[in-house]
Amino acid sequence: MAAAQAAPAPSGGEGIVPSLAELIALRRSATRGRDPRHGLRGVSARATSAQRGRGMEYAESREYVAGDDARHIDWKLSARTGFTHTKTFQAERERLTLLVADTAPALYFGTRARFKSVQAARAGAVAAWSALRDGDRVAALCSGREDGLVPPAGGMRGVLRVLDALVRWYHAPSAAGAGLQSALERATRLLHPGARALVLADPASALAVAPATWSALSMHVDVRLLLLVDPLEMQPPECLLPVVAPGGRMELDLAAGAMRDAWHEAFVAPVETLCQALPGRRIQVQVLASDDASDAWMGAAAGRGGG
């Protein structure tokens, strides 16, 4: 990503805290250039109609009739009764999309366009609007807060509740958060097979999550991890960089090899590690910079608008 071509730094309150109005306006980013998937072929194999096909939950067994799928024969019941029975399943009409929000202090920072926290809220809003377009229910989860769970709901009501939570959660870091690890463990307990999870996280937070936790979450759930970064973190300038630390003002010599190595280890290496390790655990990892279009993570079909 080219930091030299990035947008100017935010001024005033714009780009520093998210607003409900800007998250609502992102609805067009979830639908621009993308027709609803219901009844279409070749757009998405996951949801071609309003009814998503055979669900994951067993409903009952009944006597087999001609035309039933032989793969669903209930062999144990058939053996006990002497009559062939087939299993039936609950129709899965609504999939659940869960947003998992990391609110680590490192996200409340940005040098281009907006804070990473604001970009996280905007990306979450795009995901919520996309869920509405697809006919999904939507929910949100954030650890370490009393209001850290938005229960699943469908339609406009569900989306607006999630957007309101994103505005509150990303207004300021949590004073005492349990961390992303705790949120993902809770998500694993809450989600049923077939659901989707979008994790909005700082790379350091995601790297601190135990590998087994990622594996448990992705076992029956489609998981996408969105890493929020700033261009300065990924491509630091080779110069003296003034910073304000708890001990006072100081300068980092980013032209020095040792300092650049330390910078790489702190900011770039976690991203590289996650991008290499997590796909093997069936997790899609994408990187979203603070000056990217907020729907860029959805791919070319979503367009570059909304940034």
Side-chain angles (χ1 to χ4, degrees):
M1 84 189 53
Q5 301 297 321
S11 60
E14 184 180 356
I16 297 177
V17 294
S19 70
L20 185 59
E22 72 175 302
L23 301 192
I24 291 175
L26 285 166
R27 182 176 188 177
R28 65 182 182 273
S29 295
T31 57
R32 184 186 294 108
R34 303 179 68 165
D35 295 326
R37 295 188 294 178
H38 305 303
L40 297 182
R41 294 178 58 110
V43 179
S44 174
R46 288 294 308 265
T48 57
S49 66
Q51 180 170 325
R52 303 189 186 282
R54 183 175 65 84
M56 300 300 295
E57 294 186 2
Y58 167 78
E60 61 178 356
S61 292
R62 58 167 173 75
E63 285 195 27
Y64 179 90
V65 296
D68 285 341
D69 193 332
R71 294 173 299 178
H72 301 156
I73 290 177
D74 188 336
W75 296 107
K76 291 184 179 180
L77 183 59
S78 299
R80 289 200 308 269
T81 63
F83 298 94
T84 304
H85 283 70
T86 184
K87 296 178 181 179
T88 62
F89 298 84
Q90 180 101 23
E92 181 188 0
R93 295 182 180 273
E94 290 184 309
R95 180 173 49 194
L96 173 62
T97 293
L98 175 69
L99 307 182
V100 182
D102 173 29
T103 56
L107 286 172
Y108 300 80
F109 161 82
T111 63
R112 308 291 165 87
R114 58 184 68 92
F115 277 12
K116 294 186 291 181
S117 55
V118 175
Q119 185 71 303
R122 290 171 61 89
V126 171
W129 288 122
S130 297
L132 176 66
R133 179 203 65 210
D134 295 342
D136 294 354
R137 294 178 299 149
V138 63
L141 175 63
C142 177
S143 65
R145 295 177 183 265
E146 293 183 1
D147 61 344
L149 176 64
V150 179
M156 186 68 72
R157 173 173 169 267
V159 173
L160 292 179
R161 288 171 59 183
V162 167
L163 299 191
D164 179 70
L166 291 173
V167 170
R168 287 184 280 106
W169 295 344
Y170 285 114
H171 185 271
S174 175
L180 185 60
Q181 172 79 34
S182 175
L184 294 180
E185 290 174 351
R186 188 177 184 185
T188 302
R189 296 191 299 268
L190 292 173
L191 291 175
H192 295 293
R196 298 189 294 190
L198 174 66
V199 183
L200 307 161
D202 179 76
S205 298
L207 190 63
V209 173
T213 301
W214 288 115
S215 296
L217 179 63
S218 64
M219 186 173 297
H220 301 295
V221 174
D222 289 341
V223 183
R224 178 178 291 188
L225 171 62
L226 200 57
L227 300 174
L228 286 307
V229 302
D230 186 83
L232 179 67
E233 296 171 335
M234 304 306 291
Q235 269 193 337
E238 295 188 23
C239 64
L240 289 176
L241 180 67
V243 297
V244 177
R249 185 182 176 88
M250 60 183 296
E251 290 185 335
L252 300 178
D253 185 4
L254 293 178
M259 182 59 69
R260 293 190 72 82
D261 289 344
W263 187 282
H264 185 279
E265 186 67 22
F267 297 109
V268 182
V271 174
E272 294 176 341
T273 299
L274 292 164
C275 289
Q276 293 171 3
L278 290 187
R281 298 180 183 274
R282 299 186 299 180
I283 295 173
Q284 183 178 356
V285 183
Q286 291 173 272
V287 180
L288 186 68
S290 57
D291 61 341
D292 282 339
S294 300
D295 62 345
W297 59 276
M298 297 186 69
R304 293 285 298 180

